[in-house]
Amino acid sequence: MSISNGKLKILMTGPNPAAPGGISTSVRCFLSFSQNSNFTIYHYLTGKPITQSDTIFKYLRRNLYQFYMFFIKLLGTNFSLVHIHTSSWGGFWRTSLYVLACKIRNIPVTLHVHGAEFKTFLLDNSFIKKRLILEILKVANGLIVLSSAWQKFFSFVVPNQNIFVLENMVDVPDTRVKYDNYKVINFLFLGGLTKRKGLQELVKVIPRFSNRKDINFTIAGFTVPSEKELRLKIEELANNPKTSKIVNFLPDISEKEKIDLLLSSHVYILQSFDEGLPFSLLEAMSYGLPTITTPVGAIPEFIEDYTNGFLIGPGDYNALESKINYFLSNHVTIEKMGKSNVNLIKDKFGLSRLKNKIEKIYIELSYDH
């Protein structure tokens, strides 16, 4: 185990913290911890640059180079622990090489599993690939998962593994949404522009409100190249004379634009089919927005009907329309539910509380080795 100036030395692999997406947000949170804690995090950048488009050649060259330099880094520095952020599908196979490199160097390593579709990734693969996935999970010194539901699942598939629950982290901003204007109720979707997030359902429901003057929908987030058809449908809504007055489409927004949207919105919509513990939902809650979302991943562990939002079925168009109408008819509950969410974030998902949890995990895994 390596300690520098009385601090554990943690090497963390993950994408650019300024990039869009949940893992980047997680990396950014961890790096903020490193300033005043008993550990120092050294970030090793993996994944593609924010502005770079990929060809197969660029993809292979970049990943081979990143892995080679990672191994060189392991040879040159003694780390207390390597913290590897991983997801599903191709992301998992890439990071599995990093796990094996740590074992070759005899450095303890933890896999931080973010993939909302990890269960599908494991169960739908061939027998050989399933065995390989399970072996990689076993080789790690510990797993970090996002919720007690995920802990239960991973405890079943790798029963002798050290599995730690570490919820995603956000903080309550100093400035939050104002509840003094209900002439127009602003409903916000913010995240990856993909069917998995329930956007197709929202696109279908929006025209049902085209005759109302007291509603606005904002769809914002980052474009998913493989789902250009969905983006075209959103653009059509934003440009169609029948719906353009109630729809704002803001793709690929900046961090400042995101904050401005959260401050000017009233209700957050995320009708996902699969999730782990979505940062976008936690951020919306921290700004005081009640939510319309689904009972997938860790979400039902902290969203309760009529307390801080609503849980509806994935793909249920009619339920989505019903809950939108509920907020249009019950303005007073928006503020009540929003304040419940702010208090929940403070109590359960605040950065200071979670910093203590990750420090305990780092110490346990480093000393166990």
Side-chain angles (χ1 to χ4, degrees):
M1 181 182 62
S2 179
I3 298 178
S4 176
N5 297 322
K7 292 187 174 185
L8 297 173
K9 295 174 66 175
I10 310 297
L11 179 62
M12 176 176 288
T13 73
N16 190 322
I23 298 181
S24 295
T25 305
S26 183
V27 170
R28 187 164 65 246
C29 290
F30 280 109
L31 293 178
S32 71
F33 289 166
S34 196
Q35 303 299 319
N36 300 293
S37 61
N38 293 321
F39 53 85
T40 300
I41 293 177
Y42 301 84
H43 178 221
Y44 183 78
L45 180 66
T46 57
K48 68 178 181 179
I50 299 174
T51 58
Q52 180 179 310
S53 59
D54 248 350
T55 63
I56 293 177
F57 176 73
K58 286 181 178 179
Y59 172 86
L60 292 173
R61 183 179 65 179
R62 184 186 68 249
N63 279 283
L64 288 171
Y65 178 76
Q66 287 177 344
F67 177 70
Y68 170 75
M69 293 306 298
F70 173 79
F71 196 76
I72 295 298
K73 198 171 189 69
L74 292 185
L75 291 174
T77 308
N78 290 320
F79 292 100
S80 311
L81 177 72
V82 177
H83 181 160
I84 296 176
H85 293 272
T86 192
S87 55
S88 309
W89 315 107
F92 180 83
W93 295 121
R94 289 193 300 273
T95 54
S96 66
L97 297 177
Y98 290 75
V99 175
L100 295 176
C102 293
K103 301 313 290 185
I104 291 172
R105 281 286 289 121
N106 198 31
I107 298 173
V109 56
T110 181
L111 270 176
H112 192 154
V113 184
H114 294 268
E117 298 178 286
F118 199 93
K119 187 181 295 186
T120 303
F121 165 60
L122 174 63
L123 299 179
D124 286 0
N125 252 310
S126 65
F127 175 79
I128 293 176
K129 287 183 178 179
K130 282 180 187 176
R131 296 308 310 167
L132 287 173
I133 295 167
L134 293 175
E135 288 305 315
I136 293 298
L137 295 176
K138 291 175 184 176
V139 162
N141 296 78
L143 304 179
I144 297 174
V145 299
L146 302 179
S147 69
S148 57
W150 278 111
Q151 184 184 44
K152 184 177 180 180
F153 168 73
F154 281 99
S155 295
F156 176 75
V157 297
V158 279
N160 296 317
Q161 180 58 284
N162 295 312
I163 303 174
F164 305 90
V165 175
L166 186 71
E167 299 89 349
N168 282 334
M169 304 156 270
V170 296
D171 223 342
V172 176
D174 294 329
T175 305
R176 292 190 292 279
V177 62
K178 295 180 180 179
Y179 303 104
D180 56 355
N181 179 14
Y182 290 116
K183 292 181 180 179
V184 177
I185 305 301
N186 296 313
F187 291 83
L188 173 65
F189 171 91
L190 180 63
L193 305 178
T194 173
K195 293 177 182 177
R196 183 175 69 84
K197 297 285 186 179
L199 256 184
Q200 188 160 274
E201 287 68 34
L202 182 58
V203 166
K204 184 172 181 177
V205 163
I206 285 174
R208 301 179 184 181
F209 296 91
S210 59
N211 293 325
R212 299 196 64 143
K213 297 180 180 179
D214 59 345
I215 192 169
N216 181 74
F217 295 94
T218 297
I219 299 174
F222 57 93
T223 302
V224 177
S226 61
E227 300 199 41
K228 293 180 180 179
E229 184 179 342
L230 179 57
R231 174 171 173 148
L232 290 175
K233 289 180 179 179
I234 301 169
E235 290 176 342
E236 184 180 342
L237 278 179
N239 295 322
N240 189 320
K242 292 182 179 180
T243 53
S244 60
K245 291 182 180 180
I246 63 168
V247 177
N248 296 320
F249 180 39
L250 303 171
D252 306 314
I253 60 173
S254 67
E255 185 68 17
K256 183 183 182 305
E257 288 171 325
K258 180 185 79 172
I259 292 172
D260 289 343
L261 282 175
L262 289 167
L263 288 170
S264 61
S265 299
H266 296 108
V267 180
Y268 185 71
I269 296 175
L270 185 68
Q271 198 178 1
S272 292
F273 286 80
D274 286 298
E275 286 292 352
L277 180 56
F279 271 108
S280 63
L281 188 65
L282 296 178
E283 284 183 325
M285 293 166 65
S286 75
Y287 277 84
L289 275 64
T291 65
I292 302 172
T293 187
T294 50
V296 298
I299 293 174
E301 295 179 23
F302 58 92
I303 298 295
E304 184 178 348
D305 285 350
Y306 295 97
T307 298
N308 58 346
F310 290 104
L311 295 171
I312 62 176
D316 192 335
Y317 302 94
N318 293 328
L320 177 59
E321 180 184 9
S322 173
K323 299 313 176 189
I324 291 171
N325 276 317
Y326 175 87
F327 284 116
L328 291 173
S329 303
N330 296 274
H331 295 173
V332 68
T333 63
I334 295 176
E335 182 173 359
K336 182 180 178 182
M337 290 186 183
K339 289 181 177 179
S340 293
N341 276 333
V342 171
N343 291 332
L344 179 64
I345 294 297
K346 285 180 179 178
D347 294 342
K348 190 173 177 63
F349 301 102
L351 290 177
S352 58
R353 180 178 181 273
L354 292 167
K355 184 179 85 168
N356 295 331
K357 291 182 71 172
I358 190 59
E359 189 168 297
K360 290 178 181 178
I361 293 171
Y362 284 164
I363 290 172
E364 182 171 342
L365 291 175
S366 299
Y367 279 88
D368 278 351
H369 184 71

